[in-house]
Structure formats: C-alpha cells, structure tokens
Amino acid sequence: MSNVALVIEERAAKVGSFLVGRLLPFVQKRAVGPFVFIDHMGPVNLTEKENFDVPPHPHIGLSTLTYLFEGSIMHRDSLGNEIEIKPGAVNWMNAGKGVVHSERTPDYLRMKKKTLHGMQIWVALPKELEFEEASFYHIEEKDLPSWVDDDVKYTLIAGEAFSKTSGVPVHSPLYFIEIINKTEEDKLIDIGKHLYGESALYILDGKVEVEGNIYEDRRILINENAELCSFTLKSNSSIYIFGGKALPQKRYIHWNFVASERETIDRAVEDWKNQKFPKVPNETEFVPYPGKKDNVNLKK
C-alpha cells in the first residue's frame, strides 16, 4: 500500500464491561470514505460466569456492520429481528431516523466457556437517508463474493470492488474487503486499480510490508490515494481494506449518534433520555445516556 499517510494503532476503549480496540474515529482522521467508526473486539476468552452483554441502545444516521472471526452474538432490535451472528456472516442494520438494538451472548452459551472476536463498524448514511425508516439485513458467509488469486483468499464483505458486488445493501460507493494469506510465502498484492476514493488497510494478524517498511498487527494504514494500493502481504497474515467515496457533508458523532446536523443529535439525545425511541421486544434494560461529559465527541 504505497503512499501511506498515517498509521493508527488500536486504543483501548470500553463497551459496557467489554474492552475493545478503537481504530476510528481518530483525532487526525475522523473518517475513511463513509466509514466513521471501527472497533476491534477481542479476542477474549470468557468463563462460564462471563458474558458479552450490551443492553438496548439507540442509533441514528448510520449503518452498523458486525463481522465476527470467532464466537457468537445474539442480535435483537426494535424492528423485531432476533438473529444469531456467527463468524463470516454480516449483520447490517440501517438506523435511519432511529433504531434500538441489544447485543448479547446467546442463551445456550451463557453457562459455557466461549471466545469472542470480531469487528463492529459504523458507516454514515447519506444526508438524504438520515430520516428514512430503519431496516435490517443478515447475509450468510456463503452468499458473499469470495475468490482465490495466487493462493490468497479474497472476500468482498460489503460494497463494490474487483467488478463484484456484495449482497450487503449499502447506500453509498464503498468497499470492505478481507484478504487472507495462509501460505508460508509472502505475496505481492497490487489492487489499486480495483479501489476508489479514500482507502485504509487494517492488519488483523501478521505483517504487511510497504516500500521497505514493516507494519505489524492491530493498526490501520491510511492511504492518500486508493489507486496506489500496493503492498506485500507477509505469510500467515490477514488484513481488511475499507474505504470509498467520502460523503460531501461533514458528520457529527456523539455517543451512538451520527448526523450531518448538530440539532438532529440534540433531538435524539432528548428522545433517548425520555425513552421515546422504539423498544426491543422482550428486553427491559437499556443503556442510559452517559451525560454531557461525552460532548467532547461531538465533532466532525
């Protein structure tokens, strides 16, 4: 990936009682294309007494993408969906003007030892779709475009690239691509002609070499020009490339809300504090609004 402009390392953050590695937003880079938030969850081993539990919480103005490497999460939302997320599948929820969901360890695993490892991503919606009705889609691993080139496996998780289209119904030009080299050989990856807009490369496992520089796991490399994306993927390495065309308007991010206008977020805060959002069936808990101290996140 030539033309590396910025390297972002994971920073510890808490989601409920669960520790994650935060990658975006970053003080020097608030978004990559329409991608405005990325958390790396785990890997973490949970005992029989430990579970992943994020009670009902709201979103507006974004699409959430959950992608697991290991483990399982039960997704429930205010649209009435209840589905287990397993490794390789994609959960894609469009918040629009407002949705509420919970994320928990499935009941059948709650008294067992388990592992959880994955990524949670927010993609900002185009301005004209911010007040649309919420929607939800679940795409199984077998339904995602996947292919092998020079013994390297590619999967187009979301968006369009390589003249292929994922079944995930995105709302702006973007791509989220998995590239895995399980061989004992280093592989030259030159894919700039397939990309567009802004681009970034996340190293999950292994190493990447760019112009003689070695970059290790748990960091994102920001590329100034997606069309110059070329790098050496070291043996036994897994990476994720994401990006696309930046949205024309800036976005404000505050707590779980994304919007092109501050007033939209202010209304959402008041609605959540007054419990005016729709409810998740069979859930009685909810995540309280954290308060004014979180206003530092109300930025572009």
Side-chain angles (χ1 to χ4, degrees), residues 62 69 161 186 193 225 236 270:
L62 57 88
F69 312 125
D186 297 346
K193 65 182 180 181
N225 185 346
N236 298 303
E270 290 305 311

Side-chain angles (χ1 to χ4, degrees), residues 6-252:
L6 181 66
V7 179
I8 303 174
E9 296 187 8
E10 287 187 14
R11 294 147 288 137
K14 272 201 167 185
V15 176
S17 60
F18 196 78
L19 195 64
V20 301
R22 183 140 301 161
L23 292 156
L24 283 180
F26 185 64
V27 64
Q28 293 173 272
K29 190 64 177 175
R30 306 299 300 178
V32 176
F35 291 81
V36 295
F37 179 97
I38 298 179
D39 270 357
H40 174 212
M41 307 182 296
V44 62
N45 295 316
L46 301 173
T47 70
E48 298 92 335
K49 296 182 180 180
E50 295 176 312
N51 291 293
F52 179 74
D53 280 307
V54 182
H57 56 282
H59 290 293
I60 65 166
L62 57 88
S63 297
T64 63
L65 190 159
T66 303
Y67 189 77
L68 296 183
F69 312 125
E70 297 179 86
S72 178
I73 294 176
M74 182 61 71
H75 164 99
R76 297 182 178 92
D77 63 42
S78 54
L79 298 171
N81 297 294
E82 181 173 334
I83 193 163
E84 184 179 357
I85 313 170
K86 294 184 177 182
V90 176
N91 249 38
W92 178 261
M93 184 178 68
N94 295 315
K97 65 182 182 180
V99 73
V100 179
H101 73 136
S102 66
E103 299 157 289
R104 300 184 184 274
T105 298
D107 289 343
Y108 73 93
L109 292 175
R110 296 188 73 83
M111 300 300 292
K112 298 180 180 180
K113 293 181 179 179
K114 55 262 179 190
T115 300
L116 186 60
H117 189 200
M119 298 181 75
Q120 291 197 310
I121 295 168
W122 296 356
V123 180
L125 286 170
K127 182 178 175 67
E128 63 272 17
L129 299 180
E130 287 183 342
F131 296 99
E132 292 286 308
E133 295 293 335
S135 58
F136 172 83
Y137 303 89
H138 182 85
I139 296 87
E140 296 292 350
E141 179 181 15
K142 64 181 178 61
D143 297 322
L144 297 174
S146 184
W147 66 100
V148 175
D149 184 9
D150 191 24
D151 296 323
V152 174
K153 182 182 177 183
Y154 295 76
T155 300
L156 181 60
I157 298 171
E160 295 186 14
F162 297 90
S163 300
K164 304 176 188 297
T165 301
S166 166
V168 177
V170 302
H171 295 289
S172 64
L174 63 86
Y175 45 84
F176 182 39
I177 307 160
E178 177 182 71
I179 305 179
I180 299 177
N181 176 17
K182 289 187 177 181
T183 74
E184 298 300 322
E185 300 178 358
D186 297 346
K187 298 290 185 178
L188 176 63
I189 309 294
D190 187 358
I191 57 175
K193 65 182 180 181
H194 299 290
L195 307 181
Y196 47 89
E198 298 181 322
S199 184
L201 184 157
Y202 173 61
I203 307 168
L204 175 68
D205 296 307
K207 299 177 182 179
V208 165
E209 181 177 352
V210 184
E211 299 175 330
N213 298 309
I214 302 295
Y215 299 95
E216 298 184 345
D217 59 357
R218 305 300 184 90
R219 64 200 69 204
I220 285 178
L221 312 183
I222 305 295
N223 199 0
E224 289 186 334
N225 185 346
E227 295 179 359
L228 299 178
C229 187
S230 177
F231 55 92
T232 297
L233 185 59
K234 294 295 186 177
S235 63
N236 298 303
S237 296
S238 301
I239 65 165
Y240 294 81
I241 293 180
F242 61 92
K245 293 185 179 180
L247 298 173
Q249 306 88 6
K250 67 182 180 181
R251 287 298 184 277
Y252 297 97

